[in-house]
Amino acid sequence: MPRIVEVREGVLKKNDQLARDLRARFDRLGVFVISLVSSPGAGKTALLQRTLKELKASRRLAALVGDLATDNDARRLAEAGVPVRQITTGTVCHLDAEMTERALAGWNLESLDLLFIENVGNLVCPSSYDLGEHLRIVLLSVTEGEDKPLKYPTIFNTADLAVITKIDLAEAVGFDRDEAYRNVRSVRPGLEVLEVSARTGLGMDHWFARLGELSARRGSAVRTG
Ligand code: MG
Ligand code: ZN
């Protein structure tokens, strides 16, 4: 089916161009953009909720959140008291640059330091769609099994940082930390891995510190792709 492949490449090329334009706009306006990707239920919203609450005292924040349906996550995130917009994708299982751009309409990006984008829960196609973000973070929860990186290498390959979530449950679910790290590094040698629990707060200070350091590199784009 060469035809289908051609069409898809066309879509991706258009997306890449749009994403590049978006990133240039973010750079010009001085907003650092961080996207979160993971499978459904890995804890993107929980991590983001806690992160928004913590960082809003020192940074000007906003968030976009993608889901196929419902605005539940946007409502959860808005509890932090920062601007949040839901992107409802319907049948589409990922965000793309066009949806991102559309969702930003009317927002004063200049007044932001950090913009978070929570992608639709999916480890497959989000890897192919650049959203113009500066930093892409892949989450892996201890409840999912240590072999996720082996099954979904592309998303780990396009991420700038991996975060192991729900680390407070590691012992209860028999999470094999060494194997998880081995698997992450076999698909992506050198990828930085953090461990957090948004519920108990374990590892969260380190996470906040790394976000601060990485976002301070604004302008000297962290992403190379
Ligand atoms: Mg969510
Ligand atoms: Zn998709």
Side-chain angles (χ1 to χ4, degrees), residues 15-204:
N15 186 80
D16 283 344
Q17 186 53 53
L18 200 49
R20 262 196 295 272
D21 295 347
L22 264 180
R23 188 152 35 241
R25 187 166 135 210
F26 295 144
D27 287 340
R28 205 169 54 241
L29 299 175
V31 54
F32 190 83
V33 181
I34 299 166
S35 75
L36 302 180
V37 292
S38 77
S39 48
K44 291 181 297 303
T45 311
L47 179 64
L48 205 44
Q49 239 180 333
R50 186 124 185 189
T51 302
L52 296 176
K53 275 183 190 149
E54 171 72 21
L55 297 185
K56 73 169 180 177
S58 56
R59 318 291 288 271
R60 297 168 301 171
L61 312 173
L64 296 178
V65 53
D67 276 300
L68 275 74
T70 84
D71 62 353
N72 291 352
D73 284 2
R75 282 192 277 113
R76 278 172 68 191
L77 294 175
E79 286 168 18
V82 309
V84 177
R85 281 186 183 169
Q86 179 81 47
I87 303 174
T88 308
T89 59
T91 54
V92 181
C93 53
H94 58 268
L95 295 180
D96 63 26
E98 197 180 344
M99 291 179 216
T100 304
E101 189 188 32
R102 228 183 300 132
L104 293 171
W107 252 0
N108 184 10
L109 292 173
E110 262 175 286
S111 69
L112 296 178
D113 297 315
L114 295 178
L115 170 69
F116 290 92
I117 304 175
E118 178 186 330
N119 212 319
V120 177
N122 178 356
L123 284 175
V124 186
C125 29
S127 62
S128 307
Y129 290 87
D130 187 349
L131 305 179
E133 72 269 62
H134 297 99
L135 192 71
R136 180 180 289 178
I137 300 177
V138 61
L139 274 58
L140 168 71
S141 73
V142 299
T143 54
E144 295 179 68
E146 300 81 356
D147 61 350
K148 276 281 164 73
L150 303 180
K151 290 179 176 168
Y152 303 95
T154 314
I155 197 83
F156 284 83
N157 264 308
T158 62
D160 304 293
L161 177 69
V163 176
I164 300 177
T165 58
K166 308 186 188 182
I167 198 70
D168 56 307
L169 302 176
E171 210 174 316
V173 298
F175 179 68
D176 187 335
R177 173 183 277 108
D178 291 344
E179 198 194 332
Y181 277 79
R182 241 191 334 271
N183 291 342
V184 168
R185 286 178 175 146
S186 75
V187 301
R188 180 70 183 283
L191 183 64
E192 180 179 358
V193 181
L194 302 181
E195 299 178 8
V196 301
S197 166
R199 197 172 66 86
T200 66
L202 204 68
M204 292 295 282

